[in-house]
């Protein structure tokens, strides 16, 4: 069976409902990366690892001796990615994540401030 090109918005909605607020925020606003590790590689070049302060995803950079990027990859925490074969999450799907993130923020802020929703 062919994989869908675009994720069904109802599937994205169901997936978003399973995600913690920190994952929703990263999917909405992007990762808040900071330095995690860096070291020279045996044989030359470097590896640099950045880590998201919120969801803990890692971005790995493989650099040559002149610090040109050879390769990059991500290492996501368990549960961050949708099931393989879901399809690409388009504008409508990103709106689902944004809406879920905003509602989670409202809930969190209401609890902190003792407000009623």
């Amino acid at each position: 069976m062919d994989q869908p090109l675009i994720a069904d918005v109802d599937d994205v909605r169901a997936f978003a409902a399973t995600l913690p607020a920190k994952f929703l925020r990263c999917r909405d606003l992007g990762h808040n990366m900071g330095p995690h590790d860096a070291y020279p590689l045996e044989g030359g070049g470097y590896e640099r690892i950045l880590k998201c302060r919120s969801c803990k995803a890692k971005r790995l950079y493989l650099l040559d001796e002149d610090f040109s990027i050879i390769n990059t990859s991500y290492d996501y925490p368990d549960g961050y990615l949708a099931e393989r074969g879901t399809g690409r999450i388009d504008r409508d799907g990103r709106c689902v994540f944004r809406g879920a993130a905003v509602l989670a923020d409202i809930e969190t802020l209401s609890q902190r401030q003792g407000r009623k929703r």
Side-chain angles (χ1 to χ4, degrees), residues 20-22 24-25 100-117:
K22 62 186 175 181
L24 293 169
R25 281 188 207 100
V102 169
L103 293 175
D105 288 345
I106 290 170
E107 180 69 26
T108 299
L109 293 168
S110 293
Q111 289 174 358
R112 275 191 209 153
Q113 297 168 358
R115 316 189 285 226
K116 293 183 180 177
R117 293 189 297 153

Side-chain angles (χ1 to χ4, degrees), residues 10-44:
D10 289 330
D11 292 341
V12 175
R13 194 171 287 113
F15 174 59
T18 70
L19 296 177
K22 62 186 175 181
F23 288 7
L24 293 169
R25 281 188 207 100
C26 287
R27 286 186 166 275
D28 174 24
L29 302 171
H31 295 291
N32 180 9
M33 294 291 192
H36 178 67
D37 201 359
Y39 49 87
L41 297 172
E42 194 174 307

Side-chain angles (χ1 to χ4, degrees), residues 29-117:
L29 302 171
H31 295 291
N32 180 9
M33 294 291 192
H36 178 67
D37 201 359
Y39 49 87
L41 297 172
E42 194 174 307
Y46 301 87
E47 183 163 279
R48 178 186 195 197
I49 303 170
L50 303 178
K51 187 174 183 180
C52 179
R53 292 174 180 97
S54 181
C55 77
K56 309 305 180 202
K58 294 178 184 173
R59 182 152 189 198
L60 295 83
Y61 290 85
L62 182 59
L63 309 169
D64 69 13
E65 295 84 2
D66 296 321
F67 301 99
S68 292
I69 298 171
I70 297 170
N71 191 31
T72 64
S73 62
Y74 279 94
D75 181 16
Y76 293 103
D78 289 342
Y80 186 87
L81 295 176
E83 188 175 303
R84 184 174 291 280
T86 300
R88 185 175 64 81
I89 297 173
D90 67 356
R91 178 192 168 282
D92 293 339
R94 288 190 304 274
C95 287
V96 168
F97 288 128
R98 185 172 307 112
V102 169
L103 293 175
D105 288 345
I106 290 170
E107 180 69 26
T108 299
L109 293 168
S110 293
Q111 289 174 358
R112 275 191 209 153
Q113 297 168 358
R115 316 189 285 226
K116 293 183 180 177
R117 293 189 297 153

